Amino acid sequence: MSLWDVFHSDRLELAKGLSAEEVRAGLAAGSIRDDDLVRPAGTSAPWARVAEVAELTAPPSPPPAPPAAPASDDDPSFPVLAEEPAPTPADWDWEDEDDEEEEDEGLEPVDEDDEFEEPAEVEPEVEDASAETPTLVPSPQAVADRELGEDDLDLDRPGPETRVNLPTARSHDYDEPEVVDEEDDEDGGVVSLRRAGPPKVEELDLAAMVDVAFQLVLFFLVTATTILYKTLEIPKPSGEPPPEAVAQGRNRTLDDLQDDFILVEIDPEGKIQIDREPVAADFGALAERLRTAREKTDRKTMLLSADFSTPHRSAVLAYDVANEIGLGIAIAKPVPPAGPPPALRPAAAPKKEGA
Amino acid sequence: MLLRRDEDEERDEHIDMTPMVDVVFQLMTFMLFSSQMSGGELVDVPPARHGVGVESNAATFLTLLEPKVPGAEPQLLLGHGAGPPATLDQARRAVDQAVKEGIRKVILQADGDVPHGKVLEVAAAVSEVEGVTVHVGVQEEGAEP
């Protein structure tokens, strides 16, 4: 007859030296609960739940526990016994953890012992569980054996399955991010903004385009009437010589005109002479010579006598210089190369060009 | 995955037209400024420091182009730079018609290499119309056609 120390976890009381029969009687009477802890008296063995000690709960037949139903027919306590051996190690752990938590309140050193020594006690129960589960363990083997024909692929698959499982695990990994992404898409404000974007794009923001269009309209309105062409006004040359000159049968020579006009001659090559003296075809030099001639002789009009084939740009240079110093412009009408000798006649408007 | 999918969705669904429209309009503005604001570019008119500005809609344009073949006659055109070739009589009639419409200025856009005598011939021809003032087109010094 072994004696047991029983710790009433509900009352936090310790009862020492109880015999196994007293413990069983207490269990039957309800003074000792299944959750109470018990250990061999006078030892430092780890505490165990009363329900887990087969000697205390069911001395005659702890083995019949697997067939729980028939065992429960004998004693009223058997149903409790039948239920408790059944739990898997996982359940046992759960209950034990609960016990540890309860014990933490009062007996911390005992908890430490339990933690270290519980596995030693668990082993026999695991063996019991294995004794109960033998029907489970061989069954898959038996199934595998039975379905060899059909399950050759299955049997081969465990290897391939592991191989396949890796990709499937990866596929799960891929799937999970997708799910996360979708969640992110739904939760994130960015995607909601993107989804709100298309309607804006479909509408097209016309404000900027309209602004630019109006600026173009204003530009056209303002510049349409202000596009200016830079020009030089020239005196109107007469198409025909004056009738009186023709009637008199004479034309004025350049020497005659030089008394009234500053004579500027330009040959077909663009060489310029002022009052029969050559001058460099340069704007500054021409302006200086014309200014000097005007001051010396008080002539205020330039008579341009250019050859018919003189480049137009040379004539424009003379016009420009005359405008620079404020001279009036007269143009001698040149005669075409194949025509009769030059019949020069000053133009009618010796006013300042461009006025 | 996300980025690819989002990019595809955005590219497929919409294209932002605003920057393109802005650039197009800016190009149009650039072209307008660079082409029309300089009136002498169509013809290589001589440069000059001085001159007066004449509004394009207030003058009749005649153009004298340098002959393409050396020794040939310069080409007289009605209009600025490009227009139907015309004789002196046709140019005179065009100016006369313009004067009747209130346009009394004639701008003769003559190429710088055109003979001076030819320019004066045209100017003398259009000057037969009463109330006409004749201008020769010039351009700013340093400006290239």
Side-chain angles (χ1 to χ4, degrees):
Chain A
M1 288 296 289
S2 60
L3 299 179
W4 301 84
D5 293 342
V6 176
F7 178 75
H8 299 276
S9 59
D10 54 346
R11 303 192 297 269
L12 301 180
E13 291 178 0
L14 179 62
K16 296 183 178 179
L18 298 179
S19 64
E21 294 179 353
E22 289 174 342
V23 173
R24 284 194 290 271
L27 279 172
S31 60
I32 298 175
R33 302 186 311 157
D34 295 338
D35 294 336
D36 291 340
L37 302 178
V38 62
R39 71 178 178 184
T43 66
S44 60
W47 295 92
R49 293 176 63 243
V50 175
E52 297 168 355
V53 180
E55 181 183 356
L56 300 177
T57 54
S61 60
S72 63
D73 296 340
D74 297 335
D75 292 331
S77 62
F78 283 158
V80 177
L81 295 175
E83 291 178 357
E84 295 186 350
T88 60
D91 295 336
W92 187 87
D93 290 338
W94 276 102
E95 293 174 357
D96 189 57
E97 288 177 356
D98 293 339
D99 295 339
E100 290 176 356
E101 291 177 356
E102 292 175 355
E103 292 175 358
D104 288 342
E105 297 176 356
L107 300 173
E108 294 179 355
V110 175
D111 292 339
E112 294 176 357
D113 294 339
D114 289 342
E115 289 178 357
F116 289 109
E117 298 179 3
E118 276 176 2
E121 295 184 357
V122 169
E123 289 177 356
E125 292 189 359
V126 171
E127 291 176 355
D128 294 342
S130 64
E132 296 173 0
T133 54
T135 56
L136 299 176
V137 174
S139 61
Q141 296 176 354
V143 169
D145 294 338
R146 291 170 188 170
E147 299 176 356
L148 273 178
E150 298 177 355
D151 295 341
D152 276 351
L153 293 176
D154 294 337
L155 291 175
D156 294 338
R157 279 176 187 173
E161 274 182 0
T162 56
R163 296 174 185 174
V164 174
N165 281 339
L166 292 176
T168 54
R170 291 177 182 175
S171 66
H172 286 299
D173 292 339
Y174 286 122
D175 292 339
E176 289 174 0
E178 290 178 356
V179 173
V180 171
D181 294 340
E182 292 175 357
E183 292 176 355
D184 291 342
D185 292 344
E186 294 174 358
D187 297 338
V190 176
V191 176
S192 63
L193 290 177
R194 291 174 183 170
R195 290 177 181 174
K200 293 180 181 177
V201 173
E202 290 175 358
E203 293 175 357
L204 272 183
D205 188 7
L206 296 176
M209 191 172 66
V210 171
D211 290 346
V212 177
F214 275 112
Q215 287 189 355
L216 279 178
V217 171
L218 291 176
F219 169 79
F220 279 122
L221 290 175
V222 172
T223 59
T225 56
T226 57
I227 296 177
L228 302 178
Y229 288 87
K230 187 176 183 180
T231 62
L232 287 175
E233 185 178 357
I234 60 175
K236 291 191 295 183
S238 310
E240 299 295 335
E244 59 273 19
V246 176
Q248 292 174 359
R250 70 178 181 88
N251 289 320
R252 299 179 65 182
T253 64
L254 291 176
D255 293 335
D256 297 335
L257 295 172
Q258 192 172 350
D259 295 336
D260 300 327
F261 302 97
I262 300 174
L263 184 61
V264 177
E265 298 172 282
I266 308 176
D267 66 4
E269 286 76 26
K271 296 177 181 176
I272 300 175
Q273 289 183 336
I274 295 179
D275 292 336
R276 301 300 174 90
E277 295 179 2
V279 179
D282 178 69
F283 188 92
L286 283 173
E288 183 62 26
R289 288 293 299 273
L290 286 175
R291 187 177 290 108
T292 302
R294 181 184 61 184
E295 292 173 354
K296 285 183 178 178
T297 61
D298 199 23
R299 293 172 294 180
K300 295 184 169 47
T301 304
M302 175 191 76
L303 175 60
L304 176 61
S305 174
D307 193 84
F308 186 92
S309 58
T310 298
H312 176 57
R313 67 178 72 253
S314 297
V316 169
L317 176 61
Y319 301 152
D320 200 21
V321 173
N323 285 328
E324 174 74 11
I325 63 176
L327 284 178
I329 298 174
I331 302 174
K333 181 181 179 182
V335 176
L344 298 177
R345 179 176 55 84
K351 289 285 185 178
K352 177 183 177 182
E353 195 276 332
Chain B
M1 295 292 288
L2 254 187
L3 293 176
R4 293 174 184 170
R5 185 174 57 196
D6 290 345
E7 287 177 354
D8 293 340
E9 289 176 355
E10 288 182 0
R11 289 175 181 172
D12 292 340
E13 290 180 357
H14 47 74
I15 297 175
D16 191 0
M17 301 287 290
T18 307
M20 189 174 67
V21 173
D22 290 345
V23 172
V24 168
F25 276 111
Q26 287 191 355
L27 282 177
M28 290 175 59
T29 306
F30 168 76
M31 296 298 290
L32 290 172
F33 269 106
S34 62
S35 62
Q36 293 194 4
M37 289 301 290
S38 55
E41 282 193 355
L42 296 176
V43 182
D44 185 17
V45 294
R49 294 185 182 184
H50 300 273
V52 294
V54 178
E55 296 178 2
S56 60
N57 57 357
T60 302
F61 279 88
L62 297 176
T63 302
L64 263 179
L65 294 178
E66 182 186 11
K68 296 178 181 178
V69 179
E73 286 291 316
Q75 191 176 15
L76 177 63
L77 305 177
L78 294 178
H80 181 208
T87 62
L88 289 178
D89 285 341
Q90 291 172 334
R92 188 186 306 110
R93 284 195 293 270
V95 170
D96 186 34
Q97 182 64 30
V99 169
K100 291 178 181 177
E101 297 173 358
I103 300 175
R104 297 182 177 277
K105 294 180 179 177
V106 176
I107 297 179
L108 182 55
Q109 299 282 73
D111 191 283
D113 294 328
V114 169
H116 168 67
K118 190 64 179 177
V119 175
L120 291 185
E121 277 187 2
V122 177
V126 299
S127 296
E128 295 176 1
V129 180
E130 289 294 331
V132 167
T133 57
V134 180
H135 300 251
V136 291
V138 295
Q139 62 180 331
E140 293 292 338
E141 280 188 314
E144 295 295 334

